[in-house]
């Protein structure tokens, strides 16, 4: 006799535990378009809402693979995960793939537990700003640049003007404030699990194996093995993906407009790709 139970979706069967899985992959940047979806609160929020809406699931699993990016977007995603975890009374299990560094690690701190591969890269609890100086270039090609401002600090760190010590000092002041927010968040999230190591908040990063020793992650393991050990061999993992529109395309987090917006989006996507490539390259990836 064929059991009718086999025709019932796993998430509705009491003998099978289904865990929603959200995969957060990529650099963390505001904005985005149909050519390139960045990792930010606008693109992530719908996925998180659907994952935490599963009333039967005892936990939500989140896979993180990000070299970081915007500190604001990182914290917004972190806070949304924690808010939903409290609101829906669910555990959050974070699984680090290749890297959870800088803003990527900030998001990972939203987990009640963090798991990593021994070779994952974790940490980089710091703040970085980078740019270029073009003063010699415009002199060489004979370009005269004209800048008019109302407010003596509006041209702060202008890449076409010689660097000023007071501008660098102001930037450093901002970085230290943002760094403190990051440090406080990690300390609040990880608590007594963190080891007393002088390099912990210097921007240094480590493998998952060393990260476990430092208390940055709780244990080593992968999604499938950990969930099976915790919820049994019959556990089902339900990947939450972006919903698709009328013609099968995934609904973007932002609307880039018609032809003009699309053409602008191509250029923006190219610049974003260069920024993202630089973020991944910092960790040898």
């Amino acid at each position: 006799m064929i059991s009718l139970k086999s025709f019932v979706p796993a998430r509705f069967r009491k003998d099978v535990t289904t865990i929603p899985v959200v995969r957060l992959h990529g650099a963390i940047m505001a904005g985005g378009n149909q050519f390139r979806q960045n990792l930010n609160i606008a693109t992530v929020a719908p996925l998180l809402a659907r994952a935490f809406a599963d009333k039967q699931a005892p936990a939500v699993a989140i896979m993180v693979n990000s070299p970081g990016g915007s500190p604001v977007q990182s914290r917004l995603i972190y806070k949304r995960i924690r808010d939903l975890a409290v609101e829906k009374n669910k555990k959050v299990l974070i699984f680090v793939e290749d890297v959870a560094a800088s803003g990527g690690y900030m998001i990972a701190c939203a987990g009640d537990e963090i798991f990593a591969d021994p070779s994952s890269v974790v940490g980089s609890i710091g703040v970085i700003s980078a740019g270029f100086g073009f003063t010699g270039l415009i002199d060489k090609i004979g370009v005269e640049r004209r800048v008019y401002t109302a407010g003596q600090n509006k041209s702060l760190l202008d890449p076409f003007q010689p660097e000023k010590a007071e501008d660098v000092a102001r930037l450093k002041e901002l970085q230290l404030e943002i760094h403190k927010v990051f440090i406080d968040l990690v300390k609040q999230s990880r608590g007594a699990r963190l080891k007393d190591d002088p390099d912990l908040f210097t921007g240094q990063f480590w493998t998952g194996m060393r990260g476990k020793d430092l208390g940055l992650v709780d244990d080593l393991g992968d999604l499938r093995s950990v969930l099976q050990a915790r919820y049994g061999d019959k556990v089902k993992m339900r990947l939450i993906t972006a919903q698709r529109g009328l013609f099968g395309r995934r609904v973007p987090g932002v609307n880039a407009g018609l032809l003009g917006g699309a053409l602008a989006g191509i250029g923006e996507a190219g610049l974003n790709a260069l920024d993202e490539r630089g973020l991944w390259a910092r960790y040898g990836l």
Side-chain angles (χ1 to χ4, degrees), residues 94-150:
I94 298 288
F95 295 88
V96 179
E97 294 187 315
D98 297 282
V99 58
S102 194
Y105 183 71
M106 182 184 288
I107 293 175
C109 283
D112 295 290
E113 296 178 71
I114 303 175
F115 299 88
D117 184 87
S119 299
S120 297
V121 174
V122 296
S124 191
I125 304 169
V127 180
I128 184 172
S129 300
F132 299 92
F134 299 103
T135 53
L137 176 62
I138 62 174
D139 290 339
K140 184 175 182 179
I141 63 178
V143 174
E144 179 185 1
R145 186 166 183 263
R146 299 169 183 173
V147 179
Y148 310 97
T149 68

Side-chain angles (χ1 to χ4, degrees), residues 29-45:
M29 301 178 184
N33 51 56
Q34 68 266 46
F35 299 101
R36 191 172 192 85
Q37 287 290 292
N38 297 329
L39 197 58
N40 53 54
I41 189 63
T43 56
V44 169

Side-chain angles (χ1 to χ4, degrees), residues 137-253:
L137 176 62
I138 62 174
D139 290 339
K140 184 175 182 179
I141 63 178
V143 174
E144 179 185 1
R145 186 166 183 263
R146 299 169 183 173
V147 179
Y148 310 97
T149 68
Q152 62 182 8
N153 294 315
K154 284 300 292 183
S155 61
L156 191 77
L157 294 172
D158 188 330
F160 294 99
Q161 294 182 5
E163 191 175 67
K164 300 176 183 177
E166 57 268 31
D167 290 358
V168 176
R170 175 57 179 152
L171 175 61
K172 186 65 176 180
E173 181 182 340
L174 294 174
Q175 288 180 324
L176 289 173
E177 291 178 7
I178 297 171
H179 193 198
K180 184 179 184 304
V181 172
F182 195 172
I183 292 172
D184 289 346
L185 183 150
V186 174
K187 286 183 175 179
Q188 179 183 357
S189 170
R190 302 300 297 166
R193 290 173 287 188
L194 290 175
K195 298 299 185 291
D196 185 12
D197 189 289
D199 291 329
L200 205 56
F201 301 118
T202 64
Q204 183 62 275
F205 49 91
W206 300 270
T207 64
M209 187 178 300
R210 178 62 177 146
K212 179 185 175 184
D213 295 336
L214 292 170
L216 295 173
V217 302
D218 293 284
D219 209 346
L220 304 178
D222 63 277
L223 176 75
R224 183 180 180 84
S225 298
V226 170
L227 293 185
Q228 284 184 338
R230 186 158 301 190
Y231 300 107
D233 292 339
K234 292 185 177 181
V235 66
K236 299 294 182 183
M237 289 148 278
R238 182 167 66 92
L239 182 63
I240 307 297
T241 58
Q243 292 181 321
R244 297 182 179 273
L246 181 62
F247 299 103
R249 294 184 177 181
R250 291 188 176 180
V251 180

